Amino acid sequence: MRTPQRSTPDVTDMTQHARFHLVYDGPALLQHQMEVRALAPALLAMGELVERANELVNGSQARITLNVHASFKSGSFGIDLELAQSLWQKALDFANGSSATGVLNLVGLLGIGTSACVGLVQVISWLRGRGVDRIEPLGEGKARLHVEGEYLDIEEAVLLLLQDYRVRRALEGVISEPLRNEGIDCVAVVDHQVHHVLLSIDRAEAPYFTAPSPEDETLQSDEYIGTLQVLTLAFQDGNKWRFTEGGGNTYYAVVQDESFLSRIHLNQAKFAKDDIIKARIRRTQRITKDGLKADYEVLEILEHRSAAPKVQLRMNFAGNSRTPSV
């Protein structure tokens, strides 16, 4: 791909708009055509990227939209994109002393525009898939990343973007996923008027932009006494049984009561599907990339009874016969 020198991108409105050209290049695009199966997810990912970044940096202070312009450029395959930001709380911000990050600063934080700070894309390129050894707060909205004896100073807002799974997953959709397609070798962000390259990532760098697996965060862990019905038994390693507490609350839980399990294995206690137990239970709630999850452990079996229903007998004591009747 031809690589002109960097320049400042043309901007329609210095406070509310930023326009740039997203380009994919490679042998498969010599006819300036790109399969919609590759293009559509990339554009959706770009939309998610800027919307999530705006949400993290500005919260509810500003709304942002990504618009596609129909003026496709010659050379490789590219499409014009424009970010439009609505600072609908501008007057309120002025009154309370707060301010929203403008769209130009936002694309700078992402690393897809010109900026004095090191953006997200540049940080990921610098990391090259390496883990961060230490994060050192520097004050005044800055932090220092320490990696294998090297360090890089970045804005705390960029660190926020770097640590967010949704941002990283969207960036993967813009960069890594298209470059996995045969014949697409490069993705670039280009000045939409004079075609100067602002950012260029080739296939060799693409793995760096694959989103790391997010770490689950434990929110809370609590213990309680509950009554459970056994739906599925499992006596193999792991002892993960399936229980219900009624009312549609069904889950798998690891049975940790070794004494209880030993009695069953030695046939000293009989246990069957649908039996009822009263137990001490530990529930651990975690936030994951798929949302809120809960893990259960049965720590101790306190009572056990068969689920087989019993017929209540009515005893007739009339007269002297004392003959029971059902």
Side-chain angles (χ1 to χ4, degrees), residues 190-320:
V190 181
D191 182 285
H192 84 285
Q193 281 194 335
V194 293
H195 288 207
H196 285 188
V197 175
L198 304 175
L199 169 72
S200 180
I201 303 295
D202 60 29
R203 181 184 291 269
E205 296 177 275
Y208 303 151
F209 292 86
T210 299
S213 298
E215 294 182 2
D216 294 351
E217 178 185 352
T218 298
L219 300 179
Q220 68 174 11
S221 181
D222 60 309
E223 294 184 13
Y224 64 96
I225 304 298
T227 300
L228 308 175
Q229 184 171 33
V230 179
L231 300 180
T232 306
L233 297 83
F235 295 109
Q236 66 271 22
D237 292 342
N239 297 313
K240 207 159 190 178
W241 297 19
R242 186 165 171 257
F243 296 99
T244 180
E245 291 182 333
N249 187 17
T250 300
Y251 54 79
Y252 286 92
V254 177
V255 178
Q256 304 282 21
D257 191 333
E258 295 295 339
S259 175
F260 172 76
L261 294 172
S262 177
R263 292 197 304 273
I264 293 177
H265 291 156
L266 296 173
N267 293 320
Q268 294 175 352
K270 293 183 178 180
F271 206 92
K273 177 181 177 297
D274 295 331
D275 279 6
I276 306 295
I277 63 170
K278 183 178 180 181
R280 185 164 58 90
I281 304 161
R282 177 189 292 137
R283 175 181 57 198
T284 302
Q285 291 181 297
R286 299 173 294 109
I287 184 69
T288 73
K289 67 180 180 66
D290 298 317
L292 186 64
K293 301 291 183 182
D295 295 325
Y296 292 86
E297 299 170 89
V298 175
L299 303 176
E300 182 182 5
I301 308 296
L302 303 175
E303 297 179 18
H304 166 225
R305 56 161 288 181
S306 171
K310 296 180 179 179
V311 176
Q312 184 176 1
L313 301 180
R314 294 182 298 157
M315 308 302 292
N316 183 2
F317 295 102
N320 298 322

Side-chain angles (χ1 to χ4, degrees), residues 72-86:
F72 290 87
K73 304 294 184 180
S74 62
S76 307
F77 178 89
I79 186 169
D80 278 346
L81 300 174
E82 181 181 38
L83 293 177
Q85 187 180 53
S86 173

Side-chain angles (χ1 to χ4, degrees), residues 98-254:
S98 64
S99 61
T101 297
V103 66
L104 287 180
N105 289 333
L106 188 66
V107 296
L109 293 174
L110 286 170
I112 58 176
T114 56
S115 174
C117 76
V118 178
L120 174 65
V121 173
Q122 289 75 35
V123 174
I124 295 174
S125 293
W126 177 78
L127 287 172
R128 301 189 304 277
R130 301 175 296 174
V132 176
D133 298 326
R134 183 164 61 94
I135 300 174
E136 178 186 357
L138 299 178
E140 299 183 351
K142 295 184 180 297
R144 176 170 293 172
L145 304 183
H146 292 266
V147 179
E148 298 178 359
E150 304 176 30
Y151 69 85
L152 179 68
D153 294 345
I154 64 174
E155 302 285 337
E156 288 182 347
V158 175
L159 179 61
L160 187 67
L161 300 175
L162 182 69
Q163 294 176 313
D164 187 79
Y165 177 74
R166 284 176 55 187
V167 166
R168 299 292 297 275
R169 185 67 187 89
L171 191 61
E172 177 182 352
V174 175
I175 297 176
S176 298
E177 290 184 0
L179 291 177
R180 294 186 189 119
N181 290 277
E182 190 66 30
I184 301 179
D185 296 336
C186 177
V187 56
V189 176
V190 181
D191 182 285
H192 84 285
Q193 281 194 335
V194 293
H195 288 207
H196 285 188
V197 175
L198 304 175
L199 169 72
S200 180
I201 303 295
D202 60 29
R203 181 184 291 269
E205 296 177 275
Y208 303 151
F209 292 86
T210 299
S213 298
E215 294 182 2
D216 294 351
E217 178 185 352
T218 298
L219 300 179
Q220 68 174 11
S221 181
D222 60 309
E223 294 184 13
Y224 64 96
I225 304 298
T227 300
L228 308 175
Q229 184 171 33
V230 179
L231 300 180
T232 306
L233 297 83
F235 295 109
Q236 66 271 22
D237 292 342
N239 297 313
K240 207 159 190 178
W241 297 19
R242 186 165 171 257
F243 296 99
T244 180
E245 291 182 333
N249 187 17
T250 300
Y251 54 79
Y252 286 92
V254 177

